[in-house]
Amino acid sequence: MEMWRVVFVGWCVAVASGTLVKPPQPPRGWNSYDAWGASNESITLTSAQGLRERDGGLANAGYTMVTIDAGWFGSSSVNIDHYGRPIPTKALYPSAGDSGNFKPFTDRMHSMNLSFGLWYMGGVPTQSFEANSPIKGTAYTVRDIATNETYCPRWDKGWGYEVDHSHPAAQAWYESLVELWAEWGIDLIKLDCVNAEDELVAHRQDIISLSSAMGRSSNDFIFSLSPGGFANISQMADIRPFVSMARATDDFWDTWSLYMDSGGGGGASSGYSHWDAARDLVSVVRSQAPTFWIDLDMLPFGRIGHPGEHCTSSGPGCARQSRYTLDETKSVFTLWSLVQSPLLMGGDVRTGELGADISAILAHPGLHRMTSDISMAAEALRVNNTATGGGGFIVWRTQPALHTKPGLDAAPHQYIAVFNLIDAHSTYTITWADVGVVPPPSSSSTLVDVWADQPFTHHTNLNFTASLAPHGVLLVKLG
């Protein structure tokens, strides 16, 4: 299994005076946040080993990106080097030593044929400002470029200052960060507190400055954005030349009524759900940028939650098994796969901690084949009578890839997915014409129920029938 940093070579677009890696397939892997928050060396290493050692290995299904989220630089304050750049603490990552060098740990990940990513926040950390750290390669200090101690007020741990991008040393600050990450051999940077509607204006230049610095680096970077809420179409279209992938939604957790109900979602009072974000953004943004990946957030499957925290209906909360049923888990995974979202497992993946049912969903060959088969997918039909006590369902339809992709032994297929919106077993009969399948398959055509891995026979040349579990999904491959 090649590492992502090797697989992606050659898939680049121009950014400033350099290049930025654009993965030909959305990344798959594991992120520490859902199960641990701030990870440490032991947890990260055993999680990486879990990806490689499980039956067949999730890594063999492409889950090769290991990313540690907020807190790798310290739990109560940001550990910094001489130039004010965040570095890992020896307490959390002993292999980094007193100098805070992530290179030995990154090398360990690479030796396992895994890639390694880091969470980061833009701007200037408060600790760097207080130390008045020099900016590498300039005669300036971070206080010269810092303005407004409000970089990410929603983050309860606090972070630091905005950057005055009119200052001549502002770009040098970001160049010095990228230089350090390149020395460590980092493969992905997840930039947080950007890209949501209330944050893009203030932080757009931070995105561009980091992207420009990555483009001039000798290291290949995947550049990922994480928002503080839902993104909209215009801002996603605006930033897509500068990044590899970007979150379209607020944090996603394991309460269906908050995140997946079509009448509400994301905890947002506006009622905008993950269904809506997927529908709106895929139809415009993905169609115009086929190697820009819309990220619907990590997959909160298996054991999630932060040890020691109180249980809540949203957010990380206490350590627990995901509240999603297996049918709901399949529905979430199907939508993510149709959108071609990065598949980043958030639950505990250490050996023996992830159940066989969840492992089978994550590594399902039919779902992964689908992501290679299709060039685009879009919502084809939505019928929602749930407010009046009736049924409700959403249908997605794919467009086949324009040509057979490398490694596939047959021409790409088309797929239809029907999602049940209600918490009851439901049966829906849907005409092919209503979901845009023209001409329809004949009554003798061989269709496949992808999740069941068996022929799908409940169809005629006029319609098909979906019998669905509560919040369940039917995914059919058309012959």
Side-chain angles (χ1 to χ4, degrees):
M1 178 68 67
E2 293 179 300
M3 288 183 287
W4 284 108
R5 64 206 302 254
V6 176
V7 172
F8 296 155
V9 169
W11 290 79
C12 305
V13 296
V15 177
S17 61
T19 58
L20 178 70
V21 172
K22 291 280 190 174
Q25 295 289 329
R28 300 173 193 160
W30 172 79
N31 182 293
S32 67
Y33 185 72
D34 282 5
W36 302 103
S39 187
N40 59 38
E41 184 159 335
S42 175
I43 291 170
T44 306
L45 181 59
T46 53
S47 298
Q49 291 168 339
L51 292 179
R52 293 234 55 100
E53 294 173 0
R54 187 162 282 98
D55 294 341
L58 285 179
N60 290 344
Y63 292 83
T64 57
M65 178 63 73
V66 173
T67 302
I68 53 175
D69 217 274
W72 54 267
F73 38 72
S75 56
S76 58
S77 63
V78 179
N79 190 37
I80 59 174
D81 70 0
H82 173 70
Y83 296 108
R85 302 172 298 186
I87 56 176
T89 65
K90 186 177 179 180
L92 291 175
Y93 288 87
S95 65
D98 294 329
S99 63
N101 181 9
F102 247 141
K103 184 75 165 61
F105 191 77
T106 304
D107 288 346
R108 183 79 178 270
M109 293 294 103
H110 291 167
S111 72
M112 299 169 67
N113 284 335
L114 300 172
S115 299
F116 187 49
L118 291 179
W119 177 99
Y120 190 70
M121 193 89 77
V124 174
T126 297
Q127 285 72 20
S128 307
F129 181 88
E130 291 174 347
N132 200 22
S133 303
I135 298 174
K136 188 175 182 181
T138 76
Y140 299 100
T141 69
V142 295
R143 290 186 183 177
D144 293 317
I145 65 169
T147 177
N148 300 326
E149 194 178 6
T150 56
Y151 188 84
C152 192
R154 69 177 175 83
W155 201 46
D156 58 5
K157 298 179 179 63
W159 178 253
Y161 293 77
E162 305 277 353
V163 168
D164 176 4
H165 286 279
S166 68
H167 193 279
Q171 183 62 35
W173 164 250
Y174 283 117
E175 297 278 350
S176 72
L177 289 171
V178 170
E179 178 184 287
L180 181 62
W181 300 334
E183 290 173 0
W184 291 343
I186 301 301
D187 301 293
L188 176 146
I189 291 296
K190 172 186 174 181
L191 187 68
D192 205 349
C193 216
V194 295
N195 198 41
E197 293 186 27
D198 59 341
E199 294 164 343
L200 181 67
V201 174
H203 299 158
R204 180 178 185 272
Q205 191 56 49
D206 297 302
I207 298 169
I208 295 173
S209 294
L210 270 174
S211 181
S212 177
M214 289 176 182
R216 285 189 285 270
S217 173
S218 60
N219 194 60
D220 291 329
F221 287 100
I222 297 172
F223 190 17
S224 170
L225 302 185
S226 182
F230 282 85
N232 62 36
I233 291 174
S234 62
Q235 69 196 54
M236 289 287 270
D238 175 58
I239 54 86
R240 71 186 178 207
F242 308 107
V243 299
S244 312
M245 56 195 247
R247 278 268 298 283
T249 66
D250 206 343
D251 289 357
F252 180 72
W253 290 99
D254 58 327
T255 303
W256 183 279
S257 61
L258 287 180
Y259 298 95
M260 299 298 287
D261 271 2
S262 64
S269 59
S270 64
Y272 196 72
S273 72
H274 276 65
W275 298 112
D276 302 320
R279 174 199 62 202
D280 295 344
L281 289 162
V282 166
S283 64
V284 176
V285 179
R286 279 278 291 123
S287 64
Q288 297 176 3
T291 55
F292 168 78
W293 307 113
I294 294 172
D295 184 2
L296 296 181
D297 201 13
M298 289 169 273
L299 297 165
F301 301 160
R303 203 283 297 164
I304 60 172
H306 298 175
E309 292 195 13
H310 295 293
C311 290
T312 60
S313 60
S314 64
C318 60
R320 63 192 181 278
Q321 288 297 312
S322 174
R323 300 182 183 101
Y324 287 132
T325 66
L326 283 179
D327 289 308
E328 290 171 340
T329 300
K330 289 179 181 178
S331 290
V332 170
F333 194 78
T334 302
L335 180 63
W336 267 233
S337 299
L338 286 164
V339 172
Q340 294 182 294
S341 170
L343 300 176
L344 303 173
M345 175 60 178
D348 190 348
V349 296
R350 295 175 301 167
T351 300
E353 295 296 331
L354 188 62
D357 289 339
I358 300 299
S359 294
I361 290 172
L362 293 172
H364 195 287
L367 271 290
H368 292 307
R369 169 62 194 251
M370 181 183 73
T371 63
S372 296
D373 264 343
I374 66 177
S375 61
M376 277 287 298
E379 184 177 303
L381 180 66
R382 185 182 297 204
V383 175
N384 188 2
N385 299 317
T386 56
T388 57
F393 63 90
I394 293 175
V395 181
W396 275 63
R397 176 174 59 87
T398 73
Q399 298 174 9
L402 298 179
H403 53 79
T404 302
K405 297 181 181 179
L408 299 186
D409 56 4
H413 297 274
Q414 188 175 12
Y415 296 77
I416 291 285
V418 185
F419 299 91
N420 187 11
L421 296 180
I422 67 173
D423 187 17
H425 286 274
S426 305
T427 300
Y428 305 106
T429 297
I430 304 163
T431 67
W432 294 113
D434 280 346
V435 294
V437 178
V438 180
S442 69
S443 56
S444 60
S445 296
T446 301
L447 311 186
V448 176
D449 180 332
V450 177
W451 278 112
D453 193 23
Q454 63 187 22
F456 176 73
T457 59
H458 305 290
H459 67 94
T460 69
N461 63 337
L462 295 177
N463 56 47
F464 65 100
T465 299
S467 181
L468 302 172
H471 299 156
V473 62
L474 168 70
L475 178 64
V476 177
K477 180 172 71 173
L478 308 185

